[in-house]
Amino acid sequence: MDQATITLSVELSYQGAPFHGFARQEGLDTVQGCVEDALQVLFRRPVETVCAGRTDAGVHARGQVVSFELDACEVEARGLPAIARSLNALTPPSIGIRGIQERPAGFSARFDAQSREYRYFLSTQPVPPLVMRDFCWHMPGELDIAAMNHAAAYLIGEHDFKSFCLAASAQGKSTTRCVLELTVDPVEIAGDELVCMRVVGTAFLHSMVRTMAGTLAMVGRGLREPSWVQQVLQARTREAAGQTAPAQGLVFWKVEY
Amino acid sequence: MDQATITLSVELSYQGAPFHGFARQEGLDTVQGCVEDALQVLFRRPVETVCAGRTDAGVHARGQVVSFELDACEVEARGLPAIARSLNALTPPSIGIRGIQERPAGFSARFDAQSREYRYFLSTQPVPPLVMRDFCWHMPGELDIAAMNHAAAYLIGEHDFKSFCLAASAQGKSTTRCVLELTVDPVEIAGDELVCMRVVGTAFLHSMVRTMAGTLAMVGRGLREPSWVQQVLQARTREAAGQTAPAQGLVFWKVEY
């Protein structure tokens, strides 16, 4: 007899530094490993999880979403708030379970995401910012933000982003993605001036956001003209783009369903 | 023959966690110890420093100011920007030298300060904030901000703040201080909602800001009426006030000269 199952999702934030990325890898500290271990302790059986975006080692998350299925009786026995509290207690302090909700049957945090938002923070001040020190790419010097926005405009819309994808991950798969919004703005955070690249898209390739940040940074530095970004897109090879910006400046910000 | 001396000040930020406070203590990592050691390496002689506010262990600074004297020839040989860069290179990464300037002869970062500003951050969300995690007092639950501001109003102006001073430090010294501004406001920092207590005063007693934060938090929690703060002031004993709020929520924000 089939037991009724209930699909849940949790929203979680985490600091990137303590983890070898989101995806479970045996013998390494990963976010998925911590969450699944906590679920196993709580429900005394393995529970598989699916996430909205597999973040790399060192990348932070403010609003990662993870979905999983439980038996109806497992949910009813505890209630959602208690499950969230228990997961918080059973995961390391660098992971925060911010919310939990029931989803329609068959919901997937990955496949049902309508859009994903990432933010990449740069600090151009001579010394690193106080609070954001471990959440930015510290690159002292001037950045031409208008030029970066000009360049960013070429990346908005549906394009083949093969040049912005880690080469090994691009093999034999479609590298076409749709960028809905991409802006670069000065922001003040806890008394420090930073630059924030905000990008919203339906989905992203491996290292795509960090390669965009590294590429736009070259334009901001005046090393390339904004229109160069169009050539980078057309080249369809990773070598054409700028560097992969450091992981610690990237925050997986939000997912819309 | 007297050599001409030049008085300099540096503005520095630092994270509180790595240090046993600002003031030099032999055998312990302190901010003053790091800065004076760097000056000694640079100028091959001991250089004494004076700070605007001696922060306790765990307290952060965004705009601490430190003054010291150099011989004119020592300044001329290098120039101010190079001195600042060298100090940055010779201090740990958790200390940032944000600026350097020449001051009038006899200037003291401590005695010439017109006002000092501190900010105390509280997080009332169920899970700690992402970026501000190590820069706040995490106290899940509701805070009545209007009541806290009502209570804060009693503390503005010149008062005997003996009840807000670490008892041992209050012995035999004046405990009258002047609070110029004191407000409590919700703030959004890097995608998280926090509460910020901002206080400006001419000078502060030992633990005064943290005791204010702990006292106002009791009002915010509804454990005391706002007018209770007036009784706390009048009691002139540390036991009358609320707890000393944790050091990690406090940031020494700015000094005006």
Side-chain angles (χ1 to χ4, degrees):
Chain A
M1 195 183 95
D2 268 3
Q3 262 211 302
T5 61
I6 288 180
T7 306
L8 299 180
S9 74
V10 289
E11 185 184 313
L12 62 161
S13 60
Y14 48 84
Q15 298 178 304
F19 303 107
H20 289 82
F22 182 86
R24 179 187 271 279
Q25 300 174 70
E26 287 314 311
L28 295 177
D29 287 331
T30 64
V31 179
Q32 186 175 32
C34 289
V35 172
E36 291 187 352
D37 288 354
L39 285 166
Q40 175 145 19
V41 168
L42 201 52
F43 297 107
R44 300 198 189 94
R45 64 174 183 89
V47 178
E48 279 185 19
T49 63
V50 172
C51 72
R54 288 160 61 116
T55 52
D56 279 336
V59 174
H60 317 279
R62 172 182 171 268
Q64 172 72 281
V65 178
V66 170
S67 59
F68 50 89
E69 288 195 343
L70 294 176
D71 293 335
C73 60
E74 289 173 322
V75 175
E76 282 154 18
R78 287 187 169 79
L80 295 190
I83 293 173
R85 277 197 304 274
S86 299
L87 290 178
N88 256 321
L90 292 166
T91 47
S94 43
I95 296 178
I97 310 292
R98 299 198 162 210
I100 188 167
Q101 56 180 298
E102 192 174 334
R103 298 286 192 172
F107 172 89
S108 160
R110 179 175 176 199
F111 293 108
D112 290 316
Q114 297 297 304
S115 69
R116 294 160 168 91
E117 176 177 340
Y118 284 86
R119 297 197 186 179
Y120 195 93
F121 296 96
L122 305 112
S123 165
T124 62
Q125 296 177 330
V127 296
L130 177 64
V131 168
M132 287 290 286
R133 193 181 70 152
D134 298 328
F135 293 82
C136 73
W137 181 12
H138 182 230
M139 43 184 319
E142 292 292 311
L143 278 181
D144 182 340
I145 291 181
M148 292 172 79
N149 276 306
H150 185 171
Y154 292 109
L155 300 175
I156 297 172
E158 190 171 283
H159 300 284
D160 183 345
F161 283 97
K162 193 171 180 185
S163 297
F164 292 84
C165 180
L166 192 76
S169 307
Q171 301 264 329
K173 292 177 194 161
S174 166
T175 46
T176 296
R177 293 291 186 276
C178 184
V179 170
L180 303 166
E181 298 176 51
L182 177 58
T183 51
V184 181
D185 291 292
V187 287
E188 194 254 288
I189 299 178
D192 279 299
E193 297 294 329
L194 291 107
V195 174
C196 176
M197 182 189 89
R198 179 177 168 273
V199 58
V200 182
T202 51
F204 292 90
L205 299 164
H206 194 180
S207 298
M208 180 169 155
V209 178
R210 287 163 61 192
T211 308
M212 287 170 126
T215 302
L216 294 184
M218 286 185 73
V219 174
R221 282 289 198 231
L223 301 171
R224 295 287 187 281
E225 291 297 313
S227 60
W228 163 69
V229 168
Q230 208 169 11
Q231 298 165 38
V232 173
L233 265 182
Q234 286 160 1
R236 302 184 63 212
T237 169
R238 177 65 187 81
E239 287 70 39
Q243 74 170 100
T244 305
Q248 73 164 21
L250 183 58
V251 184
F252 184 19
W253 201 260
K254 200 166 70 174
V255 189
E256 297 283 355
Y257 290 98
Chain B
M1 195 182 97
D2 269 4
Q3 263 212 300
T5 60
I6 289 182
T7 304
L8 300 179
S9 73
V10 289
E11 185 183 314
L12 63 161
S13 60
Y14 48 84
Q15 298 178 304
F19 303 106
H20 288 83
F22 181 86
R24 180 186 270 279
Q25 300 175 69
E26 286 314 309
L28 295 177
D29 288 330
T30 64
V31 178
Q32 187 175 32
C34 289
V35 172
E36 292 188 350
D37 288 353
L39 285 165
Q40 175 144 19
V41 169
L42 201 53
F43 297 106
R44 299 196 189 95
R45 64 176 184 85
V47 178
E48 278 186 20
T49 63
V50 172
C51 72
R54 290 160 58 115
T55 51
D56 279 335
V59 174
H60 318 279
R62 172 183 170 269
Q64 171 75 280
V65 178
V66 170
S67 59
F68 50 90
E69 288 195 345
L70 294 177
D71 293 336
C73 59
E74 291 173 319
V75 176
E76 282 153 19
R78 287 187 170 77
L80 296 191
I83 293 174
R85 278 196 304 273
S86 300
L87 290 178
N88 256 322
L90 293 166
T91 47
S94 42
I95 296 178
I97 310 292
R98 300 199 162 210
I100 187 166
Q101 57 182 296
E102 192 174 335
R103 298 286 191 172
F107 172 88
S108 159
R110 179 175 175 198
F111 293 107
D112 290 317
Q114 297 298 304
S115 68
R116 294 160 167 93
E117 177 177 340
Y118 285 87
R119 297 196 186 179
Y120 195 94
F121 295 95
L122 305 113
S123 165
T124 62
Q125 297 176 329
V127 297
L130 176 64
V131 168
M132 287 290 286
R133 193 181 69 152
D134 299 327
F135 293 82
C136 74
W137 181 12
H138 183 229
M139 45 183 318
E142 293 291 312
L143 278 180
D144 182 338
I145 291 180
M148 292 171 80
N149 277 306
H150 186 171
Y154 293 108
L155 300 175
I156 297 172
E158 188 170 285
H159 301 285
D160 183 345
F161 283 98
K162 192 170 181 186
S163 298
F164 292 84
C165 180
L166 193 76
S169 306
Q171 301 264 329
K173 293 177 195 161
S174 166
T175 45
T176 296
R177 292 292 185 275
C178 184
V179 170
L180 303 166
E181 298 177 52
L182 178 58
T183 52
V184 181
D185 291 292
V187 287
E188 195 254 288
I189 299 177
D192 279 298
E193 297 295 330
L194 290 107
V195 173
C196 175
M197 183 189 89
R198 178 177 168 273
V199 60
V200 182
T202 52
F204 292 90
L205 300 164
H206 194 180
S207 300
M208 180 169 155
V209 178
R210 288 163 61 193
T211 308
M212 287 169 126
T215 301
L216 294 184
M218 286 186 73
V219 174
R221 282 290 199 232
L223 300 170
R224 295 286 188 281
E225 291 297 313
S227 59
W228 163 68
V229 168
Q230 208 169 10
Q231 299 166 37
V232 172
L233 266 181
Q234 287 161 359
R236 302 184 62 212
T237 170
R238 177 65 188 82
E239 287 68 41
Q243 75 171 98
T244 305
Q248 72 163 23
L250 183 58
V251 184
F252 184 18
W253 200 260
K254 199 166 70 175
V255 188
E256 297 283 357
Y257 289 97

